[in-house]
Amino acid sequence: MAEFAAPPPPPKDFKPYIADDTRLPEFTPKAIVAGAFFGILFGAATVYLALKAGLTVSASIPIAVIAISLGRKFLKTSILENNIIQTAGSAGESIAAGVVFTLPGFLFLSTDPSTKLSIGAGYFDYVTLFALSLVGGILGVLMMIPLRRSLIVKEHGSLLYPEGTACASVLIAGDKGGEFARTAFQGVGLALGYAVLQKVFHVIAESPAWVTRQTNKWLPNATVNGEITPEYLGVGYIIGPRIAGVLVAGGVLAWLALIPLLSVLVPADVMAEQLVKLGNMKDLATAGGPGGWDPVAHTFSNLPNAVYRAYIRQIGAGAVAAGGFITLLKTLPTIWASLRDSIRSLGDKAAAAGVRRTERDLSFLTVIIGSVGLVLLLVLLPQVPGESILQKLLVALLVIVFGFIFVTVSSRIVGLIGSSSNPISGMTIATLMATAMVFVGVGWTGSAYEPLALVVGGMVCIAAANAGATSQDLKTGYLVGATPRYQQIALFVGAVFSALVIGLTVKVLDTPTADLAAQGVQHMIGTEKFPAPQATLMATLIKGLLSLNLDWHFVLAGAFFAVTMELCGVKSLSFAVGLYLPLSTTLPIFVGGALKGVVDWLAARRGEPGEEGELGGGSLFATGLVAGGALTGVIVALLNVNDGVNHFIEKTLNMEPRISGVIGEEGFALLGVVFFAALALMLFRAARRAQPKPPAV
């Protein structure tokens, strides 16, 4: 996250870019339709990216850039209409992140002995996903309504809301004729072409790998590989060299140290028994599973992957849990200040009496009625876990209470450090721990209550994530002179349309291909393609708290890895996520981060100004790479669901066998690396081009 200089406290007569008495088109049908469309688009892309990499990027800036370009050439929209477009559209990204980080955990809860399936698998359907994402998303918006004056207006000089301020700069630059859209669209176009060559025609290798042999006397079963996709390169550039370096450090420890060591120390039979215990293999007599178990030879065809699934994921889960909890502890002063100031603001009747256009919020009565309506929805919907009205009422009450606490916390934290650094995982872990304590207190122990706990954690996670994004949007509106009431309605619209497509996208991506289905794979989520790290962590934590079904020695080993990183002055949560994820995910992200480091170093060496945060050429181009690559991934996944289309792509369009036949498999992998290097070079050139300066806000 780029740093922004703190502005001086605003004068009492602070004037937004569009004056209060100016009347421009704002809440119009074309703005709402465009915003809903972008909410659907970026919501689907975020689902794909979060399932694969466990990471997301802010959607507000790219949507604002696209809105400016389309608005000027086709829609003829005003700056206030463009603001409504990005406000409604950004809801998709934040809600999708909250959904993917928690709700796939239904698939990883305790196993039902009779069906051999997770006890939560029955709730992993479209209606439940839609209902929970809708309730969580709307809750995040509702609870920000009474907080806007306190956090956005009164603390304008102290809470910076960096993404919201940057987005206002983009909108104002566009209104004045700034040229930002071209660079972002170039990134989108290039990513689309690259991803089509990679995922449809298979001209570019998807994951070149180098693996040492098991008999290597120096470093057996060490793995270096990378999914060389445009979205990973773009994500790495956006998060920068520091975070990208810490992420890949966790992967280096796992794949070049722990896995080679454990592969030598642990016999294959013991490892297979561990995989059976975790539910990754049916039994020791059945071939297949992670690592390709051979029951006759008692060996694995892919031993590093077997070690990863048997041990490293649990160690990583412990590290992520500890890292999230440590992050939460470090923000306790902010949490206390947020709660204190927010409660005080509710009784500020003088502030609530404002009637100027730029002060018109939805009424507090809307918040009350909306919250009651959400409670009733949770209680009455049969698709929501809970065997009785009492159980569902307690779940709804916990969602409202913890939702209000962490919506407030989330808004204040993103105001200080930005949405990219918002410790949503830590808040969700704290919610799950508190929920488990309540459940144990009322005698609800055992695996039957695991889905209920996940519902509470999931909806609070969605609400807190959307509240952070909502805060940035309201800050943008405050700076450009929008009507808060219209923004809040637009956020509701964005939440509804995003929820409609997010659950559908999750279910489609979860559908295995015909070949995998024939092998007995029922869910793509949880496989190497879509590891869903945060959701797996949440399920693991719930099982440990309610069912005592946890290998604490592995989890605690990971927890102390996180503690060690904190003692070394390293942000443990980023390191822990890298330890949990495959190196194939974090290595290409590191390449993007290293490229950003080189760009910044060259600028400093030559005395040139650095990039203007998210508005620099490299950042805009990288955002385009993320959007184009992720969207292509979603489209290809949708196509692969149809067996006929999947067969046509694999048998007719697939160029890999022909290319490998000419240059060999190693040559094909090397060709992919060359393509990725060329993509990185184009990103570097975009970053070094001079960009127009955004106006001050």
Side-chain angles (χ1 to χ4, degrees):
M1 182 65 229
E3 295 182 359
F4 290 77
K12 292 183 179 180
D13 58 347
F14 168 77
K15 301 284 186 189
Y17 178 71
I18 300 297
D20 181 78
D21 56 357
T22 301
R23 295 293 181 266
L24 287 177
E26 185 172 6
F27 194 75
T28 60
K30 60 184 176 182
I32 289 297
V33 170
F37 172 75
F38 287 124
I40 290 171
L41 205 62
F42 280 86
T46 299
V47 167
Y48 177 82
L49 186 61
L51 282 174
K52 281 184 69 69
L55 297 167
T56 64
V57 293
S58 175
S60 294
I61 295 284
I63 292 175
V65 169
I66 296 170
I68 291 168
S69 178
L70 295 178
R72 185 182 302 124
K73 294 181 179 179
F74 303 107
L75 301 178
K76 309 301 180 186
T77 48
S78 69
I79 183 175
L80 297 186
E81 287 176 303
N82 288 336
N83 181 57
I84 289 294
I85 292 173
Q86 74 85 18
T87 297
S90 64
E93 174 264 330
S94 55
I95 295 175
V99 169
V100 173
F101 288 169
T102 53
L103 298 188
F106 279 126
L107 299 175
F108 312 124
L109 298 177
S110 295
T111 302
D112 186 336
S114 60
T115 64
K116 303 298 183 182
L117 298 174
S118 165
I119 60 173
Y123 298 111
F124 196 66
D125 57 38
Y126 173 75
V127 175
T128 304
L129 293 174
F130 166 70
L132 296 183
S133 58
L134 180 67
V135 170
I138 290 180
L139 189 66
V141 179
L142 278 174
M143 292 186 169
M144 270 306 302
I145 292 173
L147 299 176
R148 189 192 69 87
R149 286 191 178 92
S150 172
L151 299 178
I152 307 298
V153 178
K154 286 190 174 181
E155 299 198 44
H156 174 63
S158 56
L159 293 179
L160 308 181
Y161 293 100
E163 287 96 343
T165 301
C167 196
S169 295
V170 171
L171 291 171
I172 294 171
D175 192 59
K176 291 183 174 182
E179 292 292 334
F180 291 95
R182 184 181 63 175
T183 302
F185 277 122
Q186 286 175 344
V188 171
L190 189 61
L192 284 170
Y194 183 102
V196 167
L197 287 176
Q198 185 178 56
K199 295 178 170 67
V200 177
F201 293 99
H202 296 279
V203 173
I204 304 171
E206 293 197 33
S207 186
W210 174 78
V211 183
T212 61
R213 296 180 181 274
Q214 189 171 349
T215 54
N216 186 299
K217 71 185 279 191
W218 303 105
L219 197 62
N221 299 299
T223 302
V224 177
N225 59 354
E227 290 188 48
I228 48 175
T229 63
E231 58 266 32
Y232 284 171
L233 182 67
V235 167
Y237 190 92
I238 291 169
I239 66 177
R242 177 64 179 171
I243 297 178
V246 174
L247 270 174
V248 81
V252 168
L253 175 66
W255 292 86
L256 296 177
L258 293 179
I259 288 177
L261 181 63
L262 291 172
S263 70
V264 172
L265 297 178
V266 181
D269 289 300
V270 174
M271 202 175 300
E273 290 173 359
Q274 175 69 7
L275 289 170
V276 171
K277 175 186 175 183
L278 294 174
N280 292 316
M281 283 173 47
K282 184 178 179 181
D283 52 54
L284 294 179
T286 304
W293 170 246
D294 184 344
V296 177
H298 292 261
T299 58
F300 289 96
S301 61
N302 188 342
L303 188 57
N305 190 47
V307 177
Y308 170 70
R309 296 297 290 266
Y311 304 111
I312 301 302
R313 292 214 332 174
Q314 292 194 83
I315 295 172
V320 174
F325 191 69
I326 290 169
T327 304
L328 185 66
L329 289 177
K330 289 163 72 174
T331 58
L332 279 178
T334 303
I335 292 173
W336 169 246
S338 300
L339 290 173
R340 181 194 62 205
D341 295 343
S342 299
I343 292 171
R344 287 176 181 172
S345 72
L346 296 179
D348 191 350
K349 304 214 170 148
V355 293
R356 292 190 299 170
R357 180 184 64 80
T358 52
E359 294 181 355
R360 292 176 191 157
D361 292 284
L362 291 172
S363 69
F364 191 67
L365 184 62
T366 304
V367 179
I368 297 174
I369 294 175
S371 299
V372 171
L374 294 179
V375 168
L376 291 175
L377 187 64
L378 290 176
V379 171
L380 297 177
L381 271 179
Q383 289 83 3
V384 175
E387 296 181 356
S388 67
I389 297 295
L390 178 62
Q391 286 185 0
K392 292 189 174 186
L393 277 173
L394 180 58
V395 166
L397 179 63
L398 292 175
V399 168
I400 296 297
V401 172
F402 292 137
F404 178 76
I405 292 173
F406 289 116
V407 160
T408 305
V409 171
S410 178
S411 178
R412 182 170 287 274
I413 288 176
V414 302
L416 292 170
I417 59 178
S419 296
S420 300
S421 302
N422 194 6
I424 294 295
S425 294
M427 298 180 204
T428 308
I429 289 169
T431 298
L432 291 175
M433 295 179 71
T435 300
M437 291 174 62
V438 173
F439 282 11
V440 171
V442 298
W444 293 0
T445 57
S447 60
Y449 299 99
E450 291 174 8
L452 296 176
L454 185 62
V455 167
V456 177
M459 282 196 288
V460 171
C461 179
I462 297 166
N466 199 32
T470 295
S471 302
Q472 302 288 3
D473 294 333
L474 293 175
K475 182 69 168 185
T476 300
Y478 179 67
L479 294 171
V480 302
T483 307
R485 171 189 187 86
Y486 291 150
Q487 278 193 285
Q488 290 153 3
I489 296 173
L491 285 162
F492 288 137
V493 173
V496 171
F497 279 93
S498 300
L500 283 170
V501 75
I502 286 169
L504 180 63
T505 307
V506 170
K507 290 299 293 180
V508 168
L509 295 180
D510 188 47
T511 305
T513 62
D515 291 340
L516 290 176
Q519 299 173 25
V521 175
Q522 298 183 358
H523 299 280
M524 287 298 289
I525 294 175
T527 65
E528 287 185 35
K529 186 172 183 180
F530 298 122
Q534 284 89 344
T536 308
L537 164 66
M538 302 308 169
T540 302
L541 185 62
I542 291 170
K543 288 189 291 184
L545 293 169
L546 294 180
S547 302
L548 302 178
N549 183 25
L550 198 63
D551 289 325
W552 284 105
H553 43 295
F554 295 123
V555 174
L556 289 176
F560 283 108
F561 273 126
V563 172
T564 302
M565 290 300 105
E566 287 289 339
L567 293 175
C568 293
V570 176
K571 289 185 177 180
S572 58
L573 189 55
S574 297
F575 177 85
V577 171
L579 178 62
Y580 184 93
L581 288 171
L583 184 64
S584 60
T585 296
T586 56
L587 187 58
I589 290 174
F590 172 70
V591 172
L595 188 62
K596 178 66 162 63
V598 171
V599 170
D600 291 342
W601 176 76
L602 286 175
R605 185 182 180 189
R606 298 177 183 179
E608 301 169 352
E611 283 195 298
E612 297 288 342
E614 291 175 298
L615 305 181
S619 295
L620 287 172
F621 192 87
T623 298
L625 292 180
V626 173
L631 288 173
T632 307
V634 172
I635 293 169
V636 172
L638 290 172
L639 294 174
N640 283 336
V641 170
N642 183 286
D643 291 341
V645 175
N646 180 51
H647 181 80
F648 177 74
I649 291 175
E650 289 298 322
K651 302 301 181 183
T652 306
L653 301 182
N654 189 353
M655 300 291 292
E656 180 178 351
R658 281 167 264 185
I659 298 175
S660 298
V662 175
I663 61 177
E665 291 186 2
E666 292 184 358
F668 181 72
L670 184 60
L671 178 64
V673 174
V674 170
F675 269 99
F676 190 68
L679 187 66
L681 178 61
M682 293 178 187
L683 174 57
F684 176 80
R685 293 182 62 183
R688 296 295 296 160
R689 281 200 304 262
Q691 293 292 315
K693 297 290 182 183
V697 294

